[in-house]
Structure formats: structure tokens, C-alpha cells
Amino acid sequence: MKTLVVFYSRSGTTKRVAEELAKALNADVDEVIDKKSRRGIIGFLRAGYDATRGKTTEIEFTKDPSKYDLVIVGTPVWNGRITPAIKTYLLRNRERIKGAVFFATCAGRAGKCLEQMEELYGDKALLKKTIVKKELEKGIRELKEELKALITT
Ligand SMILES: Cc1cc2nc3c(=O)[nH]c(=O)nc-3n(C[C@H](O)[C@H](O)[C@H](O)COP(=O)(O)O)c2cc1C
């Protein structure tokens, strides 16, 4: 099964999960870049504000998801919500994603992030998972196993 792992990451956690999943599944990876700066305290405050307001943003990505059988999309949780970068990505690509898996990384309170991803996609995900940062290794291991089971069934 041709698989793509797409992610946005502000501080590296979601990137780490995405890269480990891609390695385990022999999948391609595509990092979504948010053109709006999310650095420093101003960037942090704006990030929370934009996520709460449900804003979209200007993004860059390189791979065409319609070329894949399965697209795994990962986002950090911001104020209990999806990031503007992944919101924009899903709105732009939902018609091009045949089968979706969603994951979110967070500090402990994922809120409605995964449900929001399904709403934006307009369909149910084949699998969805929250990974809490302080249990990152466990979360990655479990998600890898769940994905391998999904792919082989
Ligand atoms: C603006 C902002 C808002 C956040 N809001 C939440 C939240 O509501 N719940 C939570 O558990 N973690 C929250 N976090 C923590 C991140 O979701 C968590 O650290 C995530 O793993 C970071 O992923 P990244 O390193 O890929 O950017 C927030 C972080 C930022 C920057």
C-alpha cells in the first residue's frame, strides 16, 4: 500500500512521530510549512489565538496526496484544536485523500482535535490516535502496531 505521512510541527514532537511512522511503514513524508511565523512568545500567543478562532493560514507542501492509497496526517494540539496549517491542508486536499489516518500530539489535553480533523475531511478516519508528549515512545510504538494491523487487513 502506497502511504504518505503528512505533518505540521512547531517544535519537533509531531515531526519525530511522523518520521518514525514513515520509517516503519516505508512511507513518503511531507512536512507542511506554515508561512506565518509561530516562533517566540508572540508566535506562541498568535498560534493559540488563530487555532481558537479556527483560522486558516498560508501553507507550503510538496507531495500530491491523491497519488497514495493511505494518507496519515499529524498535527500538534493547540488550545484543544487542530493547527491552522493542518486545517488548511485538509480543506485543500480532502477530495484527494482516499484513506485517512489522523494523529495528534499534545501535552495531555487533546480536546476536540481529532474530531475536528474528521469534520474537515468530511469522513471517518480509518484510525485516529492522540499521543501525549510524556508518553511519546509508548504512543509511537502503539500507533505503529495499529497501522501495521490496519495495512495488513
Ligand atoms: C499555542 C499552543 C497551544 C497548545 N495547546 C495545547 C492544548 O490545548 N492541549 C495540550 O495538551 N497541549 C497543548 N499544547 C502543547 C502541544 O500540543 C504539544 O507540545 C505538541 O506535542 C507540540 O507538537 P510540536 O512539537 O510538533 O509542535 C499547545 C502548544 C502550543 C504551542
Side-chain angles (χ1 to χ4, degrees), residues 9-14 44 48 76-80 105-109 133:
S9 183
R10 177 178 178 266
S11 53
T13 308
T14 315
F44 174 87
V77 176
W78 283 358
N79 291 10
T105 73
C106 70
R109 292 160 72 100
K133 219 163 134 179

Side-chain angles (χ1 to χ4, degrees), residues 26-125:
N26 202 15
D28 290 344
V29 190
D30 200 9
E31 178 167 11
V32 178
I33 306 295
D34 189 337
K35 302 282 281 173
K36 197 162 171 178
S37 171
R38 306 294 182 184
R39 286 164 193 259
I41 187 70
I42 300 294
F44 174 87
L45 293 172
R46 222 165 38 181
Y49 177 85
D50 287 354
T52 301
R53 291 292 171 112
K55 295 215 181 215
T56 53
T57 187
E58 220 186 297
I59 57 168
E60 276 178 6
F61 57 94
T62 56
K63 302 228 163 31
D64 176 358
S66 69
K67 302 269 191 297
Y68 296 83
D69 306 302
L70 182 68
V71 181
I72 301 168
V73 185
T75 180
V77 176
W78 283 358
N79 291 10
R81 295 169 177 83
I82 192 172
T83 51
I86 292 298
K87 175 174 184 164
T88 309
Y89 182 88
L90 287 174
L91 288 173
R92 199 172 297 169
N93 291 291
R94 60 182 164 197
E95 316 267 286
R96 298 188 183 90
I97 299 174
K98 292 170 204 145
V101 168
F102 297 140
F103 75 89
T105 73
C106 70
R109 292 160 72 100
K112 290 188 189 308
C113 184
L114 291 172
E115 290 71 22
Q116 228 190 331
M117 292 176 92
E118 280 186 326
E119 263 172 49
L120 291 162
Y121 175 47
D123 203 348
K124 292 267 174 223

